[in-house]
């Protein structure tokens, strides 16, 4: 792979007991096969100030930026000189500009878009060339701080992390990881520790890439030798991790949770198994220092009858089911520290809307309203109960920090494989 810098311009089955159909834990393959359909409908910055999506008008695709931190949300279209391809990726930056990735002739071209009165300004950043059809490149989730953006190029035998916005001289190659990687979760607030799901030897295990140490790779999840262990979401404040693993039921991915740096095992709550449905976590409530069990987790639930929103807290042991707003940009949402869940939606009558679900102070149940039509909410719960390490449906493991040698550096949790954690007889409740 080569980078081409451009000078800046001005301008389901039954389970073991034969009673309950299993839940499929949705594992999104984030690899965008060089451009057919958008990977997600809406991307939101870490601080929730801006969002971006590829909108459509009369069959033509164009980037659109949403401003979310004002009195009410509003959208600004950013059309170029010609319609975009359906596989074009967009991502909001912290200053309100929108990063766009266009694929053409084996090259991934990056630019920053911004409104300039009646037209759209564009600042070319350069290109990454991926020879051969076997290499796939996609944008990683927005980095903390909003000043930089990264992309992951997955080749036949290795994966590369590229800094595609925020660098000094166009796209910069920052890390090379042996094996094919997917996913992408930030573990800290500095944009240093990136978790990826690496496939090697026929198994997928989550690893941590330290971007401040030339891409140093260390293990994160290894619940069992023969299990596929992926990291879906993480909250840097509380250390809460949302995990997918087939360790408790080989061949069937289960949704579980653990805590970064804890000596307690990963849990696989029974309430997260929704019959005949795919359950995908997409947002975690931030700011809950030292209390990961109180963090709200938003779930996208898709089944034969459609999709809806689930809200769950590790301490509650039950899922609250909500009817999402009409036109919800499925899979997109944001928690505030105060416990408010924001869900963006777009309809013909409200092309830019946000439904707000506020948590009650006592029981954490949500009540909602929408800034625009279509915001309806509901409550409910489903089965409770966690699988402990002594339960055949449970799985053990944790992530614990290892010491940081050398001169003082910003404190970063550096996990080790879950198999090596000193679990003893500890059991969570």
């Amino acid at each position: 792979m080569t980078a081409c810098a451009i000078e800046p311009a001005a301008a389901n089955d039954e389970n073991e007991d034969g009673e309950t159909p299993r839940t499929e834990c949705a594992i999104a393959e984030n690899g965008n096969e060089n451009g057919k359909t958008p990977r997600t409908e809406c991307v939101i910055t870490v601080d929730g100030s801006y969002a971006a999506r590829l909108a459509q008008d009369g069959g033509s695709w164009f980037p659109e930026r949403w401003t979310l931190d004002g009195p009410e949300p509003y959208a600004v279209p950013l059309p170029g000189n010609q319609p975009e391809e359906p596989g074009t990726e967009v991502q909001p930056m912290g200053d309100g500009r929108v990063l766009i990735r266009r694929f053409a002739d084996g090259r991934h071209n990056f630019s920053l878009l911004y409104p300039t009165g009646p037209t759209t300004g564009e600042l070319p950043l350069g290109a990454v060339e991926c020879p051969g059809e076997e290499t796939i490149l996609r944008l990683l989730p927005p980095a903390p701080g909003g000043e930089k953006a990264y992309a992951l190029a997955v080749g036949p035998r290795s994966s590369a992390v590229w800094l595609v916005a925020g660098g000094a001289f166009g796209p910069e190659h920052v890390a090379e990881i042996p094996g094919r990687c997917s996913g992408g979760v930030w573990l800290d607030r500095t944009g240093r520790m990136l978790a990826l799901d690496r496939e090697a030897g026929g198994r997928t295990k989550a690893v941590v890439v330290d971007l401040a140490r030339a891409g140093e790779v260390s293990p994160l999840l290894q619940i069992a030798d023969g299990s596929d262990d992926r990291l879906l979401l993480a909250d840097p404040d509380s250390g809460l991790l949302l995990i997918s693993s087939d360790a408790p039921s080989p061949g069937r991915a289960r949704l579980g949770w653990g805590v970064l740096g804890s000596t307690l095992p990963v849990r696989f709550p029974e309430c997260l198994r929704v019959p005949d449905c795919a359950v995908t976590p997409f947002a975690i409530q931030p700011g809950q220092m030292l209390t990961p069990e109180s963090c709200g987790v938003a779930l996208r639930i898709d089944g034969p009858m459609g999709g809806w929103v689930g809200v769950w807290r590790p301490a509650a042991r039950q899922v609250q089911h909500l009817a999402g707003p009409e036109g919800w940009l499925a899979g997109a949402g944001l928690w505030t520290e105060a416990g408010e869940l924001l869900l963006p939606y777009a309809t013909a009558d409200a092309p830019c809307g946000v439904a707000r679900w506020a948590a009650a102070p006592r029981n954490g149940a949500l009540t909602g309203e929408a800034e625009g039509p279509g915001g309806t909410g509901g409550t409910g719960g489903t089965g409770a109960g966690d699988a402990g390490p002594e339960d055949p449906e449970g799985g053990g493991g944790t992530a614990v920090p290892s010491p940081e040698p050398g001169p003082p550096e910003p404190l970063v949790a550096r996990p080790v494989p879950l198999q090596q954690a000193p679990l003893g007889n500890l059991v969570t409740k």
Side-chain angles (χ1 to χ4, degrees):
M1 282 172 287
T2 58
C4 305
I6 297 177
E7 291 297 327
N12 292 330
D13 299 321
E14 291 182 345
N15 63 12
E16 292 79 3
D17 57 17
E19 295 178 358
T20 305
R22 75 187 185 199
T23 297
E24 295 291 346
C25 179
I27 307 300
E29 289 298 334
N30 291 325
N32 185 3
E33 277 71 27
N34 292 340
K36 294 300 180 185
T37 57
R39 187 163 49 91
T40 57
E41 293 193 63
C42 183
V43 182
I44 306 175
T45 57
V46 174
D47 65 1
S49 297
Y50 296 100
R53 70 173 185 137
L54 206 60
Q56 192 175 24
D57 182 20
S60 298
W61 296 95
F62 63 92
E64 187 176 73
R65 185 198 71 189
W66 289 27
T67 299
L68 303 177
D69 59 352
E72 61 182 30
Y74 66 91
V76 176
L78 297 172
N81 296 326
Q82 61 184 23
E84 304 293 346
E85 294 295 325
T88 300
E89 286 187 296
V90 294
Q91 185 174 118
M93 304 296 291
D95 59 5
R97 293 183 293 181
V98 172
L99 174 69
I100 186 168
R101 178 196 65 83
R102 301 183 178 103
F103 178 76
D105 300 326
R107 291 159 55 94
H108 299 268
N109 301 284
F110 299 91
S111 297
L112 288 173
L113 307 179
Y114 52 93
T116 57
T119 62
T120 299
E122 181 168 339
L123 178 65
L125 299 177
V128 175
E129 184 176 353
C130 297
E133 297 182 355
E134 293 181 336
T135 300
I136 299 170
L137 185 143
R138 63 176 178 82
L139 291 176
L140 286 167
E147 298 177 354
K148 298 180 179 181
Y150 295 85
L152 179 68
V154 183
R157 291 174 295 276
S158 66
S159 303
V161 178
W162 289 82
L163 174 65
V164 296
F169 305 103
E172 301 176 12
H173 181 275
V174 296
E176 190 79 22
I177 305 102
R180 295 179 60 85
C181 294
S182 59
V185 177
W186 296 99
L187 298 178
D188 63 345
R189 292 292 183 188
T190 66
R192 169 182 170 179
M193 307 297 284
L194 173 66
L196 296 171
D197 301 325
R198 180 173 66 177
E199 180 185 351
R203 296 296 176 187
T204 300
K205 305 287 184 182
V207 298
V208 180
V209 181
D210 191 338
L211 300 183
R213 293 186 172 181
E216 177 183 283
V217 178
S218 57
L220 175 62
L221 296 178
Q222 188 169 317
I223 301 178
D225 287 334
S227 61
D228 292 320
D229 310 317
R230 297 175 171 89
L231 181 64
L232 306 182
L233 279 180
D235 173 55
D237 297 332
S238 64
L240 179 63
L241 306 178
L242 272 295
I243 294 163
S244 166
S245 176
D246 61 356
S249 52
R252 302 178 182 180
R254 290 278 302 271
L255 188 61
W257 69 281
V259 179
L260 187 66
S262 171
T263 58
L264 297 179
V266 171
R267 308 296 301 218
F268 295 92
E270 189 66 24
C271 65
L272 296 180
R273 304 180 74 181
V274 183
D276 293 328
C277 293
V279 181
T280 311
F282 64 88
I284 301 179
Q285 181 182 358
Q288 309 304 298
M289 298 292 187
L290 306 179
T291 56
E293 68 280 353
S294 66
C295 291
V297 178
L299 309 169
R300 174 181 174 178
I301 305 175
D302 296 288
M305 303 302 294
W308 63 94
V309 180
V311 175
W312 169 77
R313 285 179 170 83
R317 298 194 181 187
Q318 64 179 4
V319 175
Q320 181 186 0
H321 296 274
L322 308 170
E326 179 186 355
W328 176 42
L329 304 179
L334 182 78
W335 280 98
T336 67
E337 292 190 12
E340 191 176 44
L341 177 60
L342 311 182
L343 300 176
Y345 67 93
T347 65
D349 296 327
C352 178
V354 175
R356 299 177 179 269
W357 306 87
R362 289 187 179 181
N363 58 15
L366 297 185
T367 58
E369 62 180 16
E371 297 178 355
T376 59
T379 61
T382 186
D386 287 353
E390 71 283 0
D391 191 320
E393 283 294 309
T398 185
V400 296
S402 59
E404 281 279 2
E409 293 181 330
L411 182 61
V412 177
R414 300 185 60 77
V416 301
L418 295 182
Q419 280 186 326
Q420 300 176 16
L423 297 180
N425 295 320
L426 294 175
V427 178
T428 56
K429 296 183 179 180

